Amino acid sequence: MARKMYRDAVRDTIFEEMKRDPNVVVLGEDVVGGMGTAGGPEAIGGIWSTSGGFYEAFGPDRVIDTPISESAIVGAAGGLALSGKRPIAELMFADFIGVSLDQIWNQIAKFRYMFGGKTKCPAIIRCIYGAGYNAAAQHSQSPHAILTGMPGLKVVMPSTPADVAGLMRQAIREDDPVIFMEHKALYGMKGEVHDDPDYTIPFGHARLTRAGQDVTILATGMMVGMAEGAADKLAADGIGADVIDLRTTSPLDEEAILDSVEVTGRLVIVDEAPPRCSLATDLAAIVANKAFASLKAPIEMVTAPHTPIPFARELESAYLPNPDKIEAAVRKALAYN
Amino acid sequence: MQLSREDLLEAYRRMKIIRDFEDFLHDEIAKGEIAGFTHLYAGQEAVAVGVCEHLTDDDKIVSTHRGHGHCLAKGCDVEGMMKEIWGSREGLCKGKGGSMHIADIDKGMLGANGIVGAGAPIAVGAAIAAKIDGKDENGNLKVSIAFSGDGACNQGTTFEAMNMAVVTKAPAIFVFENNHYSEHTGFEYAVGTDKDIASRAEAFGMKVWRADGTDFSAVHDTMREVLEYVRAGNGPAAVEFDTERFYGHFEGDPQRYRAKGELDRIRAERDCIKKFRETVTEAKLLEGEELDKIDAEVASRIEKAVESARKAERPTAEDVLVDVYIDY
Ligand SMILES: Cc1ncc(C[n+]2csc(CCOP(=O)(O)OP(=O)(O)O)c2C)c(N)n1
Ligand SMILES: [Mg+2]
């Protein structure tokens, strides 16, 4: 095990996989940085410092610094993937899927199905997402729900450095297109990461991060830490919570969710995105449909409101879920009878 | 330079407002007072002012992530902007937008924009509206201007907008501010058309101009021609201004991509405000003292704006839910 940051787990895992497999290719804006400048390549090494040293190690054919052209970046990832390569495209901010949406939605996600299973499309689209930086309405969003809703895509939302490593390696070795959602506010988070160069975490396996009998809390990404914060506070009052980190929203570990709810009978879903047609409503529908008899209280959802993301510090923190809101939702579910 | 004394003084004042606004912000951001991402416009003032001095509130502009200069040149309220950047509820956008989303529709300022390349199509829409509204009594159309960077010119949306403007003969003007960098990438790497952006617009069938964006009179004179052409109903046009950005891409950028001494050199040789001052005083169009007076007046105005932004009312949690829709 090695202790490292979430961002370094991204970088190191991709780097190791590029060494292992010459078909792995990286592309995106400023993934090299400094191209065409006096400072020269790698003056920056990626705006999020997740591709430092790549260019030097693997050269311009495999580490492609692109112009600002998200449609072409994602579309090219699709074409690379149809041609035997394993592209990892970076969308500097997940919000920019707006620019590249056709290539994700109508192209990459559907190739295999439309072509009658004749092809695979091992493309990864890294999306740096989430609020917490006061970056306002176009640089803070969590668009996992629309992507999870697209048949053909796998959607990964790691919450720890260890999971970044295991899930990124899995994503690179997967033959289906993967949306890899990295929460920008977690980049500095430190944790133990496996050294095993073949350590992978299979998709569709949730992780139980806290165990308890009274309530189930579902979360992804930055919401996991908040759910744990609430669970730890509740534990001090003798209330036990299962905190389940979904890890991947497609495929979804339904079994882990339903097994837990069958024991606790109470469910709180935490989601950083707005509440309509969301991951939260999707999970609620699944549980209501498949574990109705186990439920002892209405399902509670702690989400962002149905608004764009506001800029001001006070507004963004009011917008976001937090441990207090999660604790209140748990207490509400427990008070119901 | 064919400007009256009053116009010259006003142009200098506007450029100075932008410069001081950004210099103050640079310091305040370093102190950690301001949240979010801020991209400063310092160095490019002659472009925003040289373009917008020709416009009225009925002419539209669409700006970029580096929008403060365009906003100030188009007449957005200095205090209202400062308060917005501070996230106050008294800000121009009530603290909802911040630096990257400042807008003032009444002034014809249709928004800064956090999405690179998003502005040009919006500007074309506004230009089509101006075409529908028709010419005024002097035979002139209102116009709509898309400010874009050398990075934004690589975005498909910009290409689509240019072609659509040509096809619809909309009175749109594509102003490309080539400051040689998109974030950390040099334009010579990212722009494939042989170090030239205007030729792209030309290829779409537009008349194009090129000028030194650090020379206020070159910008102003060029824009007079461009506007005459577009207002007369000849369809869209494009201009490429060669300019410089004095700070990092965003505040906190270590700028390792720059050449040694580059910032000192561009500040010494390519400072549009310094050059303006030298030109007008040497030509005896204006006195150094009257410019000094403007300097002092602007500095205190910006200082006051910062003070008022610091003290301005903060938004509350209830404000989050307001203005998503008109009626709920
Ligand atoms: C669609 C989109 N892609 C990428 C970005 C990130 N980004 C913000 S500014 C910028 C560079 C823009 O360069 P340019 O157009 O030259 O404008 P300048 O910053 O030089 O004013 C990039 C890549 C963005 N905001 N939107
Ligand atoms: Mg630029």
Side-chain angles (χ1 to χ4, degrees), chain A residues 14 17-19 26 73 75 78 89 99 180 206 217 238 267 288 308-309 334:
Chain A
I14 297 174
E17 289 295 290
M18 289 186 83
K19 276 201 296 201
V26 163
I73 294 167
V99 183
F180 200 91
I217 308 177
L267 177 62
I309 303 181
L334 287 167

Side-chain angles (χ1 to χ4, degrees), chain A residues 310-321:
Chain A
F311 162 68
R313 284 193 174 112
E314 296 88 335
L315 297 177
E316 192 193 61
S317 49
Y319 172 93
L320 276 173

Side-chain angles (χ1 to χ4, degrees), chain B residues 149-151 177 179-182:
Chain B
D150 49 288
E177 291 179 81
N179 62 9
H180 318 133
Y181 295 100
S182 55

Side-chain angles (χ1 to χ4, degrees), chain A residues 38-275:
Chain A
E42 297 211 81
I44 298 299
I47 198 91
W48 298 109
S49 305
T50 51
S51 48
F54 285 18
Y55 184 81
E56 195 177 58
F58 306 111
D61 284 351
R62 290 179 63 202
V63 184
I64 304 162
D65 202 302
T66 68
I68 306 174
S69 309
E70 284 81 7
S71 256
I73 294 167
V74 174
L80 281 156
L82 291 183
S83 311
K85 305 298 174 211
R86 293 187 172 272
I88 305 176
E90 177 185 311
L91 291 181
M92 190 184 289
F93 288 84
D95 313 70
F96 308 160
I97 63 161
V99 183
S100 62
L101 196 57
D102 179 68
Q103 294 293 341
I104 295 179
W105 187 34
N106 284 317
Q107 313 304 328
I108 285 178
K110 299 183 167 114
F111 284 150
R112 179 173 177 81
Y113 189 82
M114 290 189 301
F115 302 162
K118 283 207 189 71
T119 187
K120 54 185 190 179
C121 185
I124 297 179
I125 317 295
R126 291 178 51 215
C127 296
I128 291 77
Y129 80 106
Y133 270 64
N134 304 106
Q138 297 171 344
H139 284 73
S140 310
Q141 298 174 92
S142 297
H144 50 278
I146 52 171
L147 297 158
T148 303
M150 289 177 193
L153 297 180
K154 292 180 174 171
V155 181
V156 184
M157 302 179 75
S159 70
T160 67
D163 277 10
V164 164
L167 292 165
M168 178 60 88
R169 190 170 288 106
Q170 178 65 29
I172 294 170
R173 298 181 185 187
E174 281 272 327
D175 284 338
D176 282 319
V178 175
I179 305 290
F180 200 91
M181 312 262 310
E182 297 160 30
H183 201 295
K184 60 174 83 72
L186 296 181
Y187 268 147
M189 175 192 204
K190 282 195 179 138
E192 297 296 324
V193 174
H194 289 265
D195 299 321
D196 177 1
D198 286 316
Y199 175 69
T200 56
I201 299 171
F203 290 175
H205 289 262
R207 181 173 66 101
L208 187 70
T209 85
R210 295 285 187 279
Q213 302 288 310
D214 303 314
V215 63
T216 302
I217 308 177
L218 303 181
T220 53
M222 183 170 77
M223 298 298 103
V224 173
M226 292 185 180
E228 290 171 340
D232 293 345
K233 241 176 116 187
L234 290 158
D237 280 356
I239 299 166
D242 265 359
V243 175
I244 298 177
D245 173 0
L246 298 175
R247 284 179 161 161
T248 62
T249 58
S250 177
L252 179 69
D253 190 349
E254 279 191 22
E255 208 180 300
I257 300 169
L258 297 173
D259 286 353
S260 173
V261 173
E262 270 160 28
V263 173
T264 63
R266 300 179 202 266
L267 177 62
V268 173
I269 305 167
V270 190
D271 189 358
E272 189 174 330

